[in-house]
Amino acid sequence: KQWYQRRVRGGDERWVKLVLKSIADVGLVGYPNAGKSSLLGMVSKATPKIGSYPFTTLKPTVGEVVNADHSRRVAIADIPGLIEGAHENRGLGHVFLLHIERTRVLLFVLDVQGFQLHHNLPHRTPFETFGYLCRELELYMPGLTKRPIVVAMNKMDTEGADDEFSIF
């Protein structure tokens, strides 16, 4: 093949910023250390980084779940943990929230024992955690929580889990 180059006069030159967003059927939503990465690793062949400290996940990981006869595939995105104020771009809020925008179903992963980001901050029950996460999503993009929502309660093997779950 021979390639030709032609000079074009009078064209426009522009710098364009493109934003690439993860696209998945399901987005795992939760606070740091809720077990989102562990869940993704258990249901798919994805190998997300898993640690016992907050903010292990710094970029989304996408795994694929395939049913037994391989007729259906579902992409699941492990979104890094959100914090209060993410809608105001606190932490890496907008970077993480951009990925949630491009999912069809929101799967909230909640720690049955609740959540406390720092010892100086209040401890939240699973119900309060769910409310705060929904609030962050709505403040970022009104209508985001109108998408189908599934709630997965994690760490059910811990002491008092049944009591906490019954309150939710």
Side-chain angles (χ1 to χ4, degrees):
K1 282 186 173 181
Q2 188 176 10
W3 293 93
Y4 294 95
Q5 181 179 11
R6 188 174 69 149
R7 255 182 136 57
V8 178
R9 297 179 197 266
D12 292 336
E13 182 177 315
R14 292 194 177 130
W15 285 95
V16 179
K17 179 180 178 181
L18 301 175
V19 178
L20 178 65
K21 299 178 184 181
S22 288
I23 299 174
D25 300 303
V26 178
L28 301 179
V29 179
Y31 279 126
N33 248 27
K36 299 178 297 299
S37 299
S38 297
L39 177 62
L40 182 65
M42 293 298 294
V43 301
S44 74
K45 291 182 181 179
T47 55
K49 183 177 179 185
I50 297 172
S52 60
Y53 51 90
F55 304 109
T56 307
T57 304
L58 296 175
K59 61 181 182 176
T61 302
V62 178
E64 189 175 64
V65 177
V66 183
N67 68 349
D69 67 356
H70 298 284
S71 63
R72 178 115 169 106
R73 298 174 183 275
V74 177
I76 301 175
D78 175 16
I79 309 296
L82 298 176
I83 60 171
E84 290 175 38
H87 70 281
E88 296 173 327
N89 207 21
R90 188 166 166 223
L92 293 172
H94 286 182
V95 173
F96 298 164
L97 288 164
L98 280 171
H99 300 291
I100 295 172
E101 272 185 61
R102 296 296 301 250
T103 60
R104 294 186 311 167
V105 176
L106 306 176
L107 195 161
F108 286 78
V109 180
L110 305 178
D111 184 333
V112 73
Q113 299 297 337
F115 175 73
Q116 184 176 21
L117 181 60
H118 190 269
H119 70 275
N120 291 337
L121 298 173
H123 180 270
R124 310 267 190 234
T125 67
F127 186 75
E128 291 170 328
T129 299
F130 180 71
Y132 276 92
L133 287 167
C134 287
R135 180 178 178 271
E136 284 299 324
L137 297 180
E138 279 300 311
L139 288 171
Y140 171 71
M141 181 182 187
L144 193 54
T145 58
K146 293 198 184 317
R147 295 178 186 184
I149 291 177
V150 177
V151 176
M153 199 66 73
N154 195 18
K155 304 180 186 177
M156 289 297 295
D157 57 343
T158 59
E159 188 176 330
D162 290 334
D163 295 333
E164 291 295 333
F165 181 71
S166 68
I167 294 170
F168 188 78

